[in-house]
Amino acid sequence: MIRRPPRSTPSNSSAASDVYKRQGQKDGHNHQQESAPINLDEKTLSLIDLKYEKVGLGNIDIYIDAPGKIIANENKVAHVGPVIPARISNVYVNLGDRVKKGDVLVLLESIELGKRRADYDRAIAKLELAEINYKRKKKLFDENIVSEKSLLESELEKKNAEIDLNYSKKMLLLTGLFESEIDDPSLKKGSIYGCTFHLHSPIDGVIIERNAMKGQKVGQSDCLFEVADLSKVWVEADIYEKDLTRIKIEQKIKIKVSAYPGEIFYGDIFYIGHTLNEATRTIKIRTEVDNKNLKLKPGMFATIEIITGVRENVVVIPKSAVLEDENIKIVFVKEGNDFHRHIVKVGAETDDIVEIIEGLNPGDLVVTRGNYQLKSREMMGKVDAHAGHTH
């Protein structure tokens, strides 16, 4: 069903009212009472506490509604795991914890890291020796004791040592070490120096998946943690082929989830798929939604409403004024001291208002609270009238 939310507050218009009345006369519709009027005394009126509202004109947005699903923003999700074989020594975070970029998640021990550290230490020693040798050769060259070729060879040896050191340092950084941790003297204490390292969170976010336990052996294919920044989430929905011409990038949408009835979230379409699902004849769209309070959880089902147009100057009344009665829609209209039952034909509706196609005119006074009691009184009157018949 297509529903349409209001754009503006309903207002009375005599010109539009005349048009509406002429249309009603043209269609042969009778806006008079459709059953015996209900008359209430002052005491009953005060007990029921009736509320009325004038029928007015307003604008209603036209929109497509579709089922959707909340998913994490794929650009703000990080999988954290080792790039070398290791064993978990300690775990510092739990599922659901909020973390900042750089926070330590887990401590690991690795023989492979020990080898890389040894390579790094050897590269440092090799460079130090190469620099000493180069300085010595440079001095001898300046004194015409060694040839230029000998000097160039020592310079090449020094550059190769620098390359080896840079490479071994990068291999350590790839394991997850910070640069400050590589040469930190405090980390050189202990029998397992060179074999331990931390994994850090690469982004601000929430731990939405944890696959790490103390003592567990892990490898480079293992994802120990999934960290997601949920301050903005995506809503993914399937739109029918027939509605494709009515949607576009940056189109406004409303999102509703059953967990928060009555609350509406807003977003803009940023993606429209390029391939059609041949089985369902639908295409996927995605919308980004602000979620700073983290109310929207990935996996939640949602209903989206894509605003595609607007209908202006239509007759609208509060939705609370419309009642169901044996598959027809009715309202109660106050006329003087009486209340009359009107059958109405409705069009677009929202959570708050409904469009009236037939059955009312702008300016009519409809009952918006207490109408259930009026319906009960009407039914009682019918029963009493029927009881008075003799067969």
Side-chain angles (χ1 to χ4, degrees):
M1 182 176 73
I2 297 179
R3 300 179 177 175
R4 308 171 176 95
R7 280 271 184 168
S8 62
T9 305
S11 59
N12 292 331
S13 168
S14 58
S17 175
D18 292 341
V19 171
Y20 189 84
K21 288 178 180 178
R22 287 197 298 272
Q23 182 65 42
Q25 293 167 358
K26 179 180 177 181
D27 295 340
H29 183 79
N30 182 7
H31 295 302
Q32 300 304 315
Q33 69 189 60
E34 301 182 18
S35 65
I38 301 170
N39 188 279
L40 304 177
D41 56 43
E42 292 295 330
K43 182 179 180 181
T44 304
L45 282 172
S46 63
L47 289 173
I48 294 178
D49 188 24
L50 294 175
K51 184 179 178 182
Y52 324 104
E53 189 164 324
K54 273 190 177 183
V55 177
L57 299 177
N59 300 338
I60 295 185
D61 287 332
I62 305 169
Y63 60 84
I64 303 165
D65 60 356
K69 186 178 180 180
I70 309 298
I71 62 175
N73 182 336
E74 293 174 359
N75 296 324
K76 296 189 175 184
V77 176
H79 290 180
V80 182
V83 296
I84 55 175
R87 187 181 72 86
I88 297 176
S89 178
N90 210 346
V91 183
Y92 301 111
V93 294
N94 292 308
L95 200 64
D97 286 354
R98 294 194 187 192
V99 294
K100 294 290 186 181
K101 181 178 180 179
D103 284 354
V104 174
L105 305 181
V106 64
L107 175 65
L108 298 152
E109 301 172 1
S110 171
I111 295 174
E112 174 64 25
L113 178 64
K115 293 178 180 178
R116 294 190 184 192
R117 275 199 178 275
D119 290 341
Y120 176 72
D121 290 340
R122 278 192 293 267
I124 291 176
K126 185 179 177 181
L127 177 59
E128 289 174 351
L129 182 60
E131 287 176 339
I132 292 172
N133 188 45
Y134 174 74
K135 288 179 181 179
R136 185 177 64 84
K137 288 286 182 75
K138 180 70 168 61
K139 182 180 179 182
L140 294 173
F141 175 75
D142 291 340
E143 295 174 356
N144 295 319
I145 298 175
V146 298
S147 66
E148 183 179 5
K149 179 182 178 183
S150 180
L151 176 64
L152 292 175
E153 286 175 348
S154 65
E155 185 178 5
L156 177 61
E157 182 182 348
K158 183 172 76 75
K159 287 183 178 179
N160 284 335
E162 289 173 349
I163 291 171
D164 289 343
L165 179 60
N166 287 333
Y167 174 77
S168 60
K169 188 174 184 178
K170 287 178 180 177
M171 293 300 290
L172 286 174
L173 293 172
L174 281 174
T175 63
L177 290 177
F178 285 159
E179 190 163 353
S180 60
E181 294 177 312
I182 294 177
D183 296 308
D184 188 348
S186 65
L187 297 178
K188 296 184 178 181
K189 297 177 181 179
S191 60
I192 58 172
Y193 160 66
C195 295
T196 60
F197 66 105
H198 297 104
L199 291 185
H200 305 266
S201 176
I203 61 171
D204 294 349
V206 177
I207 305 295
I208 62 172
E209 186 176 329
R210 169 184 155 167
N211 303 303
M213 293 185 293
K214 192 171 182 178
Q216 177 183 351
K217 292 182 179 180
V218 294
Q220 62 187 79
S221 62
D222 292 313
C223 174
L224 302 186
F225 303 95
E226 189 171 338
V227 186
D229 180 356
L230 301 178
S231 60
K232 287 187 177 181
V233 294
W234 292 349
V235 181
E236 189 173 71
D238 295 317
I239 303 299
Y240 284 108
E241 180 181 8
K242 64 182 178 64
D243 294 321
L244 282 180
T245 57
R246 301 171 62 193
I247 63 174
K248 60 184 179 181
I249 299 296
E250 296 186 351
Q251 204 160 10
K252 300 292 183 183
I253 75 164
K254 289 182 174 182
I255 301 103
K256 300 177 184 177
V257 293
S258 59
Y260 306 104
E263 189 167 356
I264 298 175
F265 303 86
Y266 297 90
D268 300 324
I269 296 174
F270 73 88
Y271 168 78
I272 299 174
H274 297 287
T275 57
L276 197 71
N277 184 320
E278 294 184 6
T280 61
R281 309 307 300 173
T282 60
I283 198 162
K284 287 196 180 298
I285 67 166
R286 284 181 175 178
T287 301
E288 188 169 78
V289 184
D290 282 331
N291 187 39
K292 292 179 181 178
N293 53 17
L294 304 185
K295 285 186 174 181
L296 299 176
K297 314 291 185 184
M300 277 184 172
F301 289 111
T303 300
I304 71 165
E305 299 169 353
I306 308 171
I307 300 170
T308 61
V310 62
R311 294 178 60 187
E312 299 179 345
N313 291 324
V314 294
V315 176
V316 292
I317 63 172
K319 197 172 182 179
S320 59
V322 182
L323 302 178
E324 290 274 354
D325 186 17
E326 297 180 352
N327 296 321
I328 62 172
K329 307 284 188 182
I330 65 168
V331 298
F332 286 96
V333 178
K334 187 176 188 301
E335 298 178 16
N337 294 323
D338 296 333
F339 298 91
H340 298 273
R341 178 180 185 268
H342 284 220
I343 296 175
V344 293
K345 181 178 179 182
V346 302
E349 62 181 67
T350 72
D351 293 334
D352 303 314
I353 70 166
V354 60
E355 176 190 7
I356 301 299
I357 298 174
E358 293 179 3
L360 293 173
N361 286 321
D364 288 343
L365 202 60
V366 295
V367 179
T368 58
R369 187 173 68 196
N371 44 354
Y372 283 98
Q373 290 90 331
L374 291 177
K375 183 181 176 184
S376 297
R377 300 276 302 187
E378 181 194 34
M379 295 302 297
M380 289 172 60
K382 289 180 180 179
V383 171
D384 291 342
H386 181 71
H389 290 301
T390 56
H391 298 283

